[in-house]
């Protein structure tokens, strides 16, 4: 039996005062990601004290990529340790 695929649904999210209409097959996940993104953008805007949205967004993305890179390194080290056993 073929798996039932969820139909994409339109969802409205808000990040840093901007509203976006997006389609997704997992509305709760998208809302959670948008809320976390909004939190991080607001946190960054307080750190840089700038009203330039492009600067805030770029610095937020760099911070997210740094977090991702560290998680990837940690994961790779864990996999390596598991393979050695």
């Amino acid at each position: 039996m073929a798996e039932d695929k969820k139909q994409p649904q339109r969802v409205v999210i808000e990040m840093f005062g901007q509203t976006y209409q997006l389609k997704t097959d997992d509305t709760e996940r998208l809302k959670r990601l948008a809320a976390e993104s909004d939190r991080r953008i607001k946190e960054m805007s307080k750190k840089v004290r700038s009203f330039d949205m492009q600067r805030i967004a770029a610095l937020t993305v760099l911070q997210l990529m740094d977090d991702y890179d560290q998680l990837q390194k940690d994961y790779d080290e864990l996999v390596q340790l598991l393979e050695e056993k």
Side-chain angles (χ1 to χ4, degrees), residues 11-20 22 26-42 60 64:
V11 64
V12 177
I13 60 168
E14 185 175 324
M15 293 187 309
F16 206 59
Q18 297 292 313
T19 302
Y20 302 92
L22 304 170
D26 192 344
T27 58
E28 292 307 311
R29 180 173 183 264
L30 181 59
K31 288 178 183 179
R32 184 173 38 80
L33 292 173
E36 179 62 15
S37 297
D38 185 55
R39 184 190 70 76
R40 287 179 178 243
I41 291 168
K42 287 176 179 175
T60 303
L64 286 167

Side-chain angles (χ1 to χ4, degrees), residues 18-78:
Q18 297 292 313
T19 302
Y20 302 92
Q21 286 190 9
L22 304 170
K23 284 187 177 181
T24 181
D25 59 357
D26 192 344
T27 58
E28 292 307 311
R29 180 173 183 264
L30 181 59
K31 288 178 183 179
R32 184 173 38 80
L33 292 173
E36 179 62 15
S37 297
D38 185 55
R39 184 190 70 76
R40 287 179 178 243
I41 291 168
K42 287 176 179 175
E43 184 179 288
M44 184 61 70
S45 72
K46 289 176 185 175
K47 288 180 184 177
V48 297
R49 299 185 187 278
S50 172
F51 294 106
D52 181 3
M53 186 55 192
Q54 286 182 314
R55 179 182 170 96
I56 294 167
L59 293 171
T60 303
V61 168
L62 283 173
Q63 182 64 53
L64 286 167
M65 291 309 300
D66 183 57
D67 293 349
Y68 173 80
D69 186 59
Q70 187 59 54
L71 284 170
Q72 187 66 51
K73 286 178 185 176
D74 293 346
Y75 173 80
D76 291 343
E77 288 175 12
L78 180 60

